[in-house]
Amino acid sequence: MSAAPKLRSVDLSLAHEHGLTSEEYQVILDHLGRTPTFEELGVFSVMWSEHCSYKSSRVHLSRLPQSGPAVLQGPGENAGAVDIGGGMAAIFKIESHNHPSYIEPYQGATTGVGGILRDIFTMGARPVANLNSLRFGTPDHEKTPFLVKGVVAGVGGYGNSVGVATVGGEVCFDAGYNGNILVNAFTLGVVRADRIFRAAAKGEGNPVLYVGSKTGRDGIHGASLLASSEFKDESEQMKPTVQVGDPFTENLLIEACLEVLAGDDVVAIQDMGAAGLTSSSVEMASRGEVGIELDLDRIPLRDASLTPYEMLLSESQERMVLVVKQGRQAAVEQVFKRWGLDCVEVGTITASGRFVATYRGETVVSIPVAALTDAAPKYRRPIKEPTTHPAPLDARALAQPSDLGAELAALLASPNLCSRRWVYQQYDCYVGANTVVRPGGDAAVVRVRETGGALAMTVDCNSRYVALDPYLGTQHAVLEAARNVWVTGARPLAISDCLNFGSPEKPEVMWQFSQAIDGMRDACLALQIAVISGNVSFYNDTQGVSIPPTPAVALVGLVEDARRTASVALPGADAVVCLLGEGQPELECSEYLWQRFAVTGDHPPKVDMAAEQRAGELCRSLIADGVVRCAHDVADGGLAVALAEMCFAGGVGMSVAVPVAGRSDTALFGESGARIVVAVAAADTSRVEQRAAAAGVPCIRLGQSGGARLVISAAAPSPAGVLLDVATENLQTGWQATLPAIAEGRYVPALRSR
């Protein structure tokens, strides 16, 4: 359905074509007391779509913690807001643009970035940083190179052109995404805490203004078709439903909107995102408990032949709706005209409580606003735990590796652990001159000039963990995100989530979703942080096969002093390398186990919330006091991978001895939470150990930096001996080569003995 269906009488059959069920169509008849017009059917179909109404997730999302001391705005607005001190607030959100990016990767990614940017500056904040979470199929799948190149180019092309730094993210590969990639985009902005704008229309008689680009046919039914139904084998035919972005117009729109929001003329402002003019108008009216009336004859059009149906449902990009004070529309219009943008009065706020649209003197839509929002369907879908489970791991059946150096080299060159430099070198991470810690580490850090502090941000999820245990796996996603900001010197503030799952009509998927919500809730409560914004992306299915459950967690933390941050780079030779934390490495569910033996086991590592907090807060305080300038969390790939990454970033080797209890590959490549590696000056080592003891955090001196090799030995009381001794240059060569090979379609999976 790339545009309006051929006009015919509205009936149940046409309702089904719009994605509405028979029961939902009957509810529409009950709301209206009559047969809907063709345009009204389109309005109901988009507003009651999964993407806009959250009809399958609302009953579960209510279990998440949504408030706290730092929270200024929780879910329900365009984005969430937290207090960052000095009278300033951080505004942030993450959203999905999955199906459009699979169909047309460049435009799908660009419009994903553009849409999330608008959610931020709509609230009065200047966007300062972007992140992304990208999931692709296997590197040797025929579509993967095309999708990787298109998506990365789209993310960079829009962010670079609009002038907002892209400072980090994650890239993962898994066969579960072969037919349904994930493109999740995050933006953070800053604003004075007393100048946050909401999207609640108020004031009977206040004019409604349309600003930005003209309306075209791109994106019609994007919300209801692409984001609220599974993929069939029709991607080429669905290309017209993908929007086309223009970052240069977006840049003008940012400046014009921030200029008018600096004054007192604007009552409310909303981005025309999914479902375009319809959703923006209806949501504003709903929040303000008012009605809204639109004159479609006044909508700026690219093509005069657009029908009312198409005007209402178009998802053309770079468009906003403003409600302004009576008599101030001319002043607002002058600002937008100066920036070369359309600004047209297209409607009025009313006291009717109805969404009304007229065209050529006739009323084509007249629907109670509440029927489209509060009274939208809300389902408690059936939930069923899967009856089949992976086999438990029998480590005795796994051959002990004979060359641990070769194992580390292969692991570092694997698609999920290799260098992401090929990706982030296509992004401008310094535009705005606020980036303190750039891409390539655990979290990015961006300076807040108004306060002297900084904001750390990261996005994380190990979907293999979540697939095996959605509850524990989602807790790991929250905790890894927290570790990633702790090791930069930041205190976790709040998260925005992007919950990517399969069809909610599958009871097993809803079980995954419900378990993930509970895992996120319990992890956030333990860390005393809230979920202040986010997005649910259901129907990530292709021909009946669901993606791995992927609840991506974007976490933002506060650094009090931007001069006191840490990175993963070793500071040079003679630094003492210490391991903080009490996490015990497990082979189960590790990246090594999958890459080396093609098995997962049946559970992710254990979670110890208290241990995570003790280790994380200790690391943060050591950074804040200037004792630690290099820190790195131990995550995918285990301790050996973390040590190698620190060597690569610092351009120096190290010689360390690690605890070994049982298998040596478990000690090197096993995974767990609650482990952080720090490098400190020799003179500060005793101080770090004393602070760790006082905090109840184990601290092990591993060794020191220096030379050009990574040498790892077994620590006493294990049998003495060198486990691996490899030139860091040799390790780094393979680590850097993999992603370019994937993008160019020449990646050949390593032939490993199984």
Side-chain angles (χ1 to χ4, degrees):
M1 192 185 299
S2 60
K6 185 178 180 180
L7 185 59
R8 66 173 194 263
S9 298
V10 173
D11 56 15
L12 181 59
S13 174
L14 190 60
H16 287 167
E17 290 182 27
H18 279 71
L20 296 161
T21 67
S22 300
E23 294 77 13
E24 288 170 347
Y25 183 62
Q26 183 57 54
V27 173
I28 292 171
L29 297 178
D30 295 340
H31 276 305
L32 297 178
R34 56 176 172 78
T35 301
T37 66
F38 182 58
E39 291 80 8
E40 287 172 332
L41 186 68
V43 167
F44 272 109
S45 75
V46 293
M47 292 306 299
W48 284 11
S49 68
E50 195 71 59
H51 188 75
C52 291
S53 74
Y54 284 40
K55 57 189 176 186
S56 298
S57 59
R58 278 186 286 166
V59 295
H60 299 284
L61 295 174
S62 62
R63 302 201 297 273
L64 294 172
Q66 300 175 1
S67 61
V71 177
L72 301 176
Q73 176 64 58
E77 272 291 341
N78 286 293
V82 290
D83 188 343
I84 59 173
M88 300 297 293
I91 312 286
F92 59 90
K93 187 180 183 182
I94 186 170
E95 281 201 339
S96 62
H97 223 226
N98 302 335
H99 286 180
S101 299
Y102 184 81
I103 296 167
E104 213 303 305
Y106 184 88
Q107 292 298 346
T110 64
T111 50
V113 174
I116 197 65
L117 282 166
R118 290 192 295 279
D119 282 340
I120 303 308
F121 71 77
T122 291
M123 297 192 68
R126 178 171 291 280
V128 296
N130 294 329
L131 299 176
N132 51 79
S133 175
L134 311 177
R135 309 276 167 155
F136 300 101
T138 54
D140 53 348
H141 187 272
E142 61 181 2
K143 290 201 70 172
T144 296
F146 166 72
L147 294 169
V148 168
K149 286 192 292 187
V151 166
V152 171
V155 170
Y158 204 97
N160 298 349
S161 299
V162 83
V164 177
T166 302
V167 295
E170 61 170 357
V171 182
C172 297
F173 297 88
D174 188 281
Y177 306 109
N178 277 345
N180 195 128
I181 67 172
L182 302 184
V183 175
N184 296 173
F186 167 96
T187 296
L188 178 143
V190 293
V191 64
R192 276 174 41 193
D194 61 353
R195 295 298 295 175
I196 298 173
F197 272 81
R198 272 79 176 185
K202 296 284 186 181
E204 183 181 359
N206 277 340
V208 177
L209 305 186
Y210 171 122
V211 303
S213 295
K214 291 178 168 56
T215 295
R217 288 191 171 90
D218 48 327
I220 293 174
H221 272 293
S224 58
L225 180 62
L226 285 184
S228 303
S229 59
E230 70 173 74
F231 268 164
K232 305 296 191 293
D233 191 18
E234 302 170 348
S235 61
E236 286 300 316
Q237 289 79 6
M238 295 167 76
K239 277 190 176 182
T241 62
V242 178
Q243 310 96 323
V244 177
D246 179 354
F248 301 103
T249 298
E250 180 102 335
N251 187 277
L252 300 175
L253 194 59
I254 291 173
E255 298 304 329
C257 285
L258 292 181
E259 182 176 337
V260 297
L261 294 177
D264 296 318
D265 295 333
V266 177
V267 176
I269 180 171
Q270 176 79 27
D271 163 41
M272 289 193 225
L277 182 62
T278 289
S279 65
S280 57
S281 302
V282 169
E283 289 169 5
M284 291 175 79
S286 175
R287 292 188 185 109
E289 299 180 343
V290 295
I292 189 167
E293 184 169 337
L294 301 177
D295 181 356
L296 300 181
D297 292 296
R298 307 201 66 188
I299 302 298
L301 303 176
R302 294 184 205 155
D303 182 342
S305 69
L306 261 70
T307 67
Y309 180 102
E310 292 169 324
M311 295 179 210
L312 289 164
L313 272 58
S314 168
E315 294 181 10
S316 294
Q317 297 291 285
E318 292 86 39
R319 302 179 302 156
M320 314 283 283
V321 175
L322 279 68
V323 177
V324 302
K325 296 175 182 177
Q326 290 191 59
R328 299 303 300 165
Q329 51 266 54
V332 172
E333 181 180 351
Q334 185 177 14
V335 172
F336 284 95
K337 295 294 186 185
R338 189 169 65 251
W339 287 97
L341 298 168
D342 280 319
C343 180
V344 179
E345 184 175 341
V346 297
T348 307
I349 299 303
T350 70
S352 68
R354 301 184 74 84
F355 174 50
V356 177
T358 62
Y359 180 68
R360 296 183 179 176
E362 294 186 9
T363 298
V364 294
V365 173
S366 180
I367 304 172
V369 168
L372 298 170
T373 54
D374 296 340
K378 183 165 64 174
Y379 298 130
R380 188 174 291 277
R381 302 277 191 186
I383 291 176
K384 180 183 178 183
E385 183 175 356
T387 56
T388 59
H389 301 279
L393 176 66
D394 181 4
R396 296 169 301 179
L398 304 179
Q400 289 271 7
S402 59
D403 186 343
L404 290 168
E407 297 296 332
L408 176 58
L411 195 55
L412 286 165
S414 65
N416 287 335
L417 296 179
C418 66
S419 170
R420 270 45 186 154
R421 185 174 182 273
W422 179 87
V423 173
Y424 64 74
Q425 71 181 358
Q426 298 183 53
Y427 304 154
D428 187 340
C429 64
Y430 289 117
V431 62
N434 289 316
T435 304
V436 178
V437 177
R438 66 185 184 87
D442 292 299
V445 180
V446 174
R447 180 185 300 105
V448 181
R449 295 181 181 275
E450 294 85 349
T451 67
L455 294 166
M457 61 202 79
T458 185
V459 57
D460 291 285
C461 180
N462 186 319
S463 58
R464 187 181 302 118
Y465 285 10
V466 182
L468 288 179
D469 187 326
Y471 178 82
L472 280 181
T474 305
Q475 288 192 326
H476 273 288
V478 175
L479 293 170
E480 184 180 353
R483 283 197 308 277
N484 283 339
V485 302
W486 272 321
V487 300
T488 66
R491 171 173 54 86
L493 286 179
I495 72 173
S496 181
D497 58 17
C498 197
L499 307 176
N500 305 273
F501 287 80
S503 169
E505 297 168 39
K506 297 178 179 179
E508 293 81 5
V509 168
M510 288 309 300
W511 177 81
Q512 292 174 332
F513 185 82
S514 179
Q515 289 287 300
I517 291 292
D518 289 344
M520 183 175 292
R521 174 200 62 201
D522 292 347
C524 288
L525 289 173
L527 298 180
Q528 297 182 306
I529 59 177
V531 182
I532 63 169
S533 62
N535 170 232
V536 177
S537 176
F538 275 136
Y539 290 103
N540 288 288
D541 295 72
T542 299
Q543 297 183 334
V545 178
S546 298
I547 61 160
T550 313
V553 171
L555 191 148
V556 172
L558 177 65
V559 180
E560 300 291 345
D561 184 344
R563 297 169 297 180
R564 293 289 178 88
T565 61
S567 74
V568 304
L570 286 170
D574 301 322
V576 176
V577 180
C578 300
L579 176 64
L580 304 178
E582 53 199 84
Q584 297 301 311
E586 301 180 40
L587 275 188
E588 199 89 34
C589 204
S590 65
E591 189 71 24
Y592 166 74
L593 185 66
W594 176 250
Q595 292 296 334
R596 181 65 174 79
F597 300 103
V599 294
T600 63
D602 66 347
H603 67 270
K606 303 177 193 67
V607 164
D608 186 332
M609 299 285 189
E612 291 277 9
Q613 289 180 284
R614 287 193 297 269
E617 281 301 318
L618 170 64
C619 184
R620 185 196 64 79
S621 66
L622 290 169
I623 296 169
D625 292 342
V627 179
V628 168
R629 296 301 300 271
C630 168
H632 190 18
D633 86 308
V634 180
D636 299 349
L639 180 59
V641 167
L643 297 174
E645 290 170 341
M646 295 170 76
C647 292
F648 299 159
V652 64
M654 70 169 75
S655 180
V656 297
V658 304
V660 178
R663 295 175 62 109
S664 54
D665 55 353
T666 300
L668 294 184
F669 312 127
E671 297 174 6
S672 75
R675 291 192 295 169
I676 296 170
V677 181
V678 298
V680 299
D684 290 326
T685 309
S686 295
R687 183 180 176 188
V688 169
E689 290 172 332
Q690 291 167 3
R691 292 271 293 270
V697 176
C699 177
I700 302 172
R701 290 198 198 192
L702 298 179
Q704 68 180 39
S705 62
R709 303 182 72 81
L710 175 59
V711 182
I712 303 179
S713 302
S718 304
V722 174
L723 300 177
L724 63 84
D725 182 348
V726 190
T728 57
E729 182 180 4
N730 293 343
L731 293 174
Q732 195 167 7
T733 298
W735 179 70
Q736 291 178 335
T738 300
L739 255 185
I742 292 172
E744 294 167 13
R746 53 180 176 80
Y747 174 77
V748 178
L751 296 176
R752 314 291 307 284
S753 60
R754 300 296 183 189

